[in-house]
Structures are given as structure tokens and as C-alpha cells.
């Protein structure tokens, strides 16, 4: 080991001396070293870009192949129910609600309309005539967005799966489960793009990102697909949830409210999936508990507090209320997880915190009281 260190240090010293002796007269040793490092790293950077582009192309080909195989399996019988043929495509309720709330106007061209399978999918299917799949053409899936291919693939997969489960199409999707690593890879890429976008979100927002979050929630709500996705993407999902939380709490711009509104709706959309709701509720409650402790210390010492953080915390209150109400509506109150440490802490200190802070922070304690009612009611329902 000592010999290796000696050779390493000797090589570095020899390289440094060679650079110093060979540098141009009009440059310092530092500038010349940085110039040489750039020359060496530039080809490597180009190769990395090429590798990423090729990996993306391979993934897209794998997506097309899987959909083609699913399509072939679905139409071997050539029988579709009349109900399926008359089915109208639906738009995403969450997307429309958010677009209305944010003041955006959807043009006629952006309306949801039916979409036939792409030509290369149809050609790969059996030649038996069949009506087109009522897959949705969504306004978000544009060629300009590099993630649109992943979105289209995942949405098409969900539509095929829904139609198969309803009996409209005859195919055994379990036969293709060995290829579902393609789904995990596509979700990973989509999550990566969402995290990058939310690191620096700027309005006006494209409906693509709303639709992407909605698609993620629908995928993970599916028992079979979620098993494949969570094996590879659980940490990435956790990172995305924390990124949304940072967008809401860490934003101190004057015109931040539209961004926070958008991120809050994304958290609520994710929370429509009961599996994700189990992790989101404790994550948000940990921030509420932490801020309540900080306000308690401020109240005792009569010190100043972070007004921006105080304003931002109300977005978390709104998200938590939406998720807890969703939990009650679905009658799935046991999944809230009252054994979770953050939920336990909130309920144990609930009354004491309200009593201590009600005079100095009445609006904050009012929302704490509302959350306490929702959590206690779900606990009562669980006991019943």
C-alpha cells in the first residue's frame, strides 16, 4: 500500500512539473492546467451525452416493443364489446381542476380527443380487423418534451390494462410481467424529469407536469405495477415528495404562491394513491410538528419568527386536510398509520400546543385543531 501511495505521489509530481515546464509564457500554471483538464474532459462529456441518447433510444424501442406485444395479444380474438366500442375518452379530472384553479384557459386544440394506435403498433398486430383503442391524446404529450415518450408509453399501458381488466380486451398481462422492468425504467426517467423541473419551477406551467404526477399516482395505485415500480423507484419517489415539500416551505419569493399552489396540488394528486398517502402524511406532519415546537420557543422567549415560513406552512395544512378527507371518504382509515411517530407526537401534544399558542397564533392553532379532529375521527373509525 505504501509503494502504491509513493508511485501515485511521484506521478502527480511528475505531471505537475511537466505542465509547469510546457506551459505557454502568456498563461499561469493554474490557467494552463484548467485548459488541459477541459481538453481531456470534453471528449468524455460528449461520449456520456451519446451514451445517454442511445440509452433513451433503447428504452423507447423497448417501450414500443412491449406495447406492440400487448396489442398483438389483445386482438388475437378480434372481439370487442359494443360498450367498449362506444366508450368515450375521458380527460383527467385533476388536470382540469388545477388548470381552472390556476387561471389557465384551455383552447379547443388542447381538449382531450380519441387517438388511434400509432401505425407501427398497428402493423405489428395480427391482421384481423379491429376497432382502434380509445387511448387518450393528452395535451401534455408533445414531441418537444423529451419525457413525452415515457408519458405516452405509461398512459397507453394503463389504458390497455384497464380495458383488459374490464373484460373489453382479452389478454393475460401476467404473461408479460417479465418485461415490466421497462415500466420501472420509464417511471424512473419520469421522476428524474419531475425532480429536475421542481428544483426551479417557473410559471406558466405546462399541463404536462400535472398529467405526469397523475399518471404516477395511477401506476402506483395498481397492485401489480406498483410492485415492480417500488423495487427500483422507492427512493426516487421519496426524493420527489421531499422536493415538492421544499418548493412549498423553502420558497421566499414575493410571487411564490402560484408555484406553491401547483406543488400543493401535485402532493394531493400523489396522495390519491393510498400507498403514497401513507408516506406523505407523516412527512408533512413532521414539518408541522417541528414548526409548532419553534413557535412554542418563540412564544416563551418573545422572540421574532420567520414570517415567510409561517405563511408557507398553511399550504401544508391544506394538503393534509385534503389527504385525510380522502382517507375518510375511501373508508381506509387504518392506512393512516397511527403508530407512526410523527402522528403520535402530533396527537399527544395537540391540546397542549393549542393552549400555549392560541393567543399569539390563533390562525395556526385553528388549523391544528382542524387537523386534530380529522386524525382523531380516523382513529375512532379504526377502533370501530
Amino acid at each position: 500500500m505504501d509503494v502504491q501511495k509513493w508511485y501515485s505521489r511521484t506521478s502527480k509530481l511528475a505531471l505537475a512539473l511537466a505542465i509547469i515546464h510546457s506551459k505557454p509564457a502568456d498563461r499561469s500554471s493554474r490557467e494552463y492546467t484548467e485548459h488541459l483538464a477541459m481538453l481531456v474532459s470534453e471528449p468524455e462529456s460528449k461520449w456520456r451525452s451519446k451514451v445517454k441518447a442511445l440509452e433513451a433510444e433503447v428504452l423507447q424501442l423497448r417501450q414500443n416493443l412491449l406495447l406492440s406485444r400487448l396489442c398483438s395479444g389483445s386482438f388475437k380474438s378480434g372481439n370487442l364489446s359494443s360498450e367498449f366500442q362506444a366508450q368515450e375518452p375521458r380527460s383527467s379530472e385533476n388536470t382540469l381542476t388545477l388548470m381552472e384553479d390556476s387561471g389557465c384557459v384551455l383552447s379547443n386544440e388542447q381538449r382531450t380527443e380519441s387517438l388511434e394506435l400509432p401505425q407501427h403498433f398497428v402493423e405489428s398486430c395480427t391482421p384481423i380487423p379491429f376497432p382502434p383503442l380509445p387511448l387518450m391524446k393528452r395535451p401534455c404529450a408533445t414531441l418537444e418534451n423529451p419525457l413525452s415518450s415515457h408519458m405516452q408509453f405509461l398512459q397507453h399501458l394503463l389504458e390497455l390494462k384497464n380495458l383488459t381488466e374490464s373484460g373489453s380486451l382479452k389478454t393475460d398481462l401476467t404473461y408479460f410481467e417479465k418485461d415490466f422492468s421497462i415500466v420501472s425504467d420509464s417511471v424512473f426517467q419520469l421522476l428524474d424529469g419531475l425532480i429536475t423541473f421542481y428544483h426551479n419551477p417557473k410559471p406558466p406551467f405546462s399541463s404536462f407536469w400535472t398529467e405526469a404526477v397523475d399518471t404516477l399516482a395511477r401506476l402506483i395505485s395498481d397492485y401489480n405495477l406498483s410492485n415492480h415500480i417500488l423495487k427500483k423507484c422507492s427512493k426516487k419517489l421519496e426524493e420527489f415528495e421531499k422536493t415538492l415539500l421544499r418548493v412549498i416551505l423553502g420558497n421566499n419569493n414575493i410571487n411564490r404562491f402560484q408555484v406553491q399552489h401547483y406543488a400543493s396540488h401535485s402532493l394531493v394528486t400523489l396522495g390519491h394513491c393510498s400507498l403514497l398517502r401513507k408516506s406523505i402524511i407523516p412527512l408533512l406532519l413532521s414539518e408541522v410538528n417541528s414548526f409548532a415546537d419553534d413557535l412554542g420557543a418563540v412564544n416563551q422567549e418573545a422572540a421574532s419568527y420567520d414570517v415567510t415560513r409561517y405563511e408557507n406552512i398553511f399550504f401544508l395544512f391544506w394538503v393534509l386536510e385534503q389527504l385525510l378527507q380522502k382517507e375518510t371518504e375511501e373508508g381506509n382509515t387504518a392506512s393512516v398509520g397511527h403508530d407512526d411517530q410523527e402522528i403520535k407526537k402530533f396527537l399527544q401534544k395537540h391540546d397542549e400546543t393549542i393552549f400555549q399558542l392560541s393567543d399569539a397564533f390563533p390562525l395556526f392553532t385553528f388549523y391544528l385543531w382542524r387537523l386534530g379532529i380529522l386524525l382523531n375521527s380516523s382513529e375512532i373509525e379504526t377502533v370501530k
Side-chain angles (χ1 to χ4, degrees):
M1 197 65 191
D2 292 337
V3 174
Q4 289 179 354
K5 285 182 180 179
W6 183 85
Y7 275 115
S8 175
R9 289 175 181 173
T10 304
S11 300
K12 288 178 181 178
L13 179 60
L15 178 62
L17 290 171
I19 290 172
I20 292 170
H21 285 301
S22 62
K23 76 175 184 67
D26 59 339
R27 287 193 178 186
S28 66
S29 299
R30 182 185 182 86
E31 289 174 343
Y32 188 54
T33 304
E34 290 175 349
H35 172 69
L36 292 175
M38 187 181 67
L39 290 177
V40 171
S41 63
E42 193 172 330
E44 184 181 352
S45 178
K46 288 180 179 178
W47 277 112
R48 283 181 181 175
S49 300
K50 286 182 180 179
V51 168
K52 284 185 178 179
L54 289 171
E55 286 176 345
E57 187 177 348
V58 168
L59 179 56
Q60 189 169 356
L61 290 171
R62 291 172 68 206
Q63 292 169 351
N64 293 345
L65 179 61
L66 178 58
L67 284 180
S68 297
R69 292 177 64 200
L70 287 170
C71 174
S72 299
S74 298
F75 291 108
K76 279 181 180 176
S77 64
N79 296 323
L80 296 174
S81 66
S82 58
E83 179 184 351
F84 163 60
Q85 295 178 39
Q87 182 179 351
E88 292 291 334
R90 62 172 180 83
S91 62
S92 170
E93 185 178 345
N94 293 330
T95 302
L96 291 176
T97 303
L98 179 55
M99 294 304 290
E100 289 167 3
D101 288 345
S102 59
C104 298
V105 179
L106 294 178
S107 63
N108 291 334
E109 289 77 8
Q110 290 175 306
R111 301 295 180 189
T112 305
E113 55 190 29
S114 61
L115 173 67
E116 294 189 5
L117 278 173
Q119 187 63 32
H120 60 280
F121 291 165
V122 176
E123 290 171 357
S124 65
C125 297
T126 176
I128 298 172
F130 54 87
L133 277 173
L135 300 176
M136 292 172 284
K137 183 179 181 181
R138 302 179 185 268
C140 61
T142 57
L143 295 175
E144 288 78 8
N145 194 318
L147 298 174
S148 62
S149 62
H150 305 308
M151 275 287 292
Q152 288 177 339
F153 164 71
L154 295 170
Q155 289 171 343
H156 288 181
L157 180 66
L158 281 169
E159 289 302 314
L160 280 168
K161 201 170 190 308
N162 291 340
L163 292 169
T164 302
E165 290 172 354
S166 68
S168 299
L169 296 177
K170 305 293 183 184
T171 190
D172 184 9
L173 290 181
T174 57
Y175 177 76
F176 299 98
E177 281 198 9
K178 63 181 181 296
D179 298 317
F180 277 5
S181 62
I182 304 168
V183 179
S184 303
D185 293 340
S186 302
V187 170
F188 192 91
Q189 294 298 322
L190 194 60
L191 278 168
D192 211 36
L194 281 164
I195 290 169
T196 302
F197 167 74
Y198 273 108
H199 274 155
N200 188 25
K202 293 179 181 178
F205 300 109
S206 165
S207 60
F208 175 88
W209 306 107
T210 307
E211 201 64 43
V213 175
D214 180 61
T215 301
L216 280 174
R218 291 168 59 206
L219 283 164
I220 299 170
S221 295
D222 185 281
Y223 175 76
N224 291 323
L225 291 176
S226 65
N227 287 336
H228 296 279
I229 293 168
L230 293 177
K231 283 178 184 177
K232 178 171 184 178
C233 304
S234 57
K235 289 185 178 179
K236 207 71 175 174
L237 273 166
E238 185 180 343
E239 183 185 352
F240 180 46
E241 291 169 4
K242 290 179 178 178
T243 300
L244 290 172
L245 188 59
R246 280 196 298 271
V247 170
I248 296 170
L249 291 181
N251 199 330
N252 58 2
N253 296 327
I254 295 175
N255 298 321
R256 65 186 180 275
F257 299 110
Q258 188 179 357
V259 174
Q260 291 170 318
H261 177 81
Y262 199 81
S264 299
H265 272 275
S266 294
L267 275 173
V268 171
T269 302
L270 283 178
H272 286 169
C273 169
S274 60
L275 200 59
L276 295 177
R277 198 159 58 233
K278 283 171 107 176
S279 62
I280 294 174
I281 289 175
L283 178 65
L284 302 189
L285 276 177
S286 69
E287 292 295 334
V288 172
N289 288 335
S290 173
F291 191 63
D293 291 341
D294 291 347
L295 286 183
V298 166
N299 192 43
Q300 288 180 353
E301 300 171 7
S304 60
Y305 63 95
D306 188 343
V307 177
T308 301
R309 191 181 172 203
Y310 180 83
E311 292 173 345
N312 294 345
I313 203 75
F314 289 98
F315 283 96
L316 296 197
F317 282 132
W318 180 81
V319 174
L320 281 166
E321 286 190 4
Q322 298 299 310
L323 298 185
L324 290 171
Q325 286 170 5
K326 183 75 175 174
E327 196 80 15
T328 305
E329 288 169 10
E330 292 182 358
N332 193 26
T333 50
S335 71
V336 173
H338 287 84
D339 292 334
D340 183 88
Q341 292 301 315
E342 293 300 335
I343 296 177
K344 274 185 176 180
K345 180 181 177 182
F346 179 86
L347 292 173
Q348 288 170 358
K349 300 182 66 176
H350 178 258
D351 293 342
E352 180 185 350
T353 303
I354 290 177
F355 178 75
Q356 289 178 348
L357 301 179
S358 57
D359 289 338
F361 306 101
L363 186 61
F364 179 80
T365 52
F366 172 69
Y367 276 92
L368 282 182
W369 173 73
R370 285 163 60 109
L371 280 185
I373 289 176
L374 287 169
L375 280 168
N376 283 318
S377 63
S378 66
E379 188 172 21
I380 292 170
E381 288 293 329
T382 303
V383 172
K384 288 181 179 179

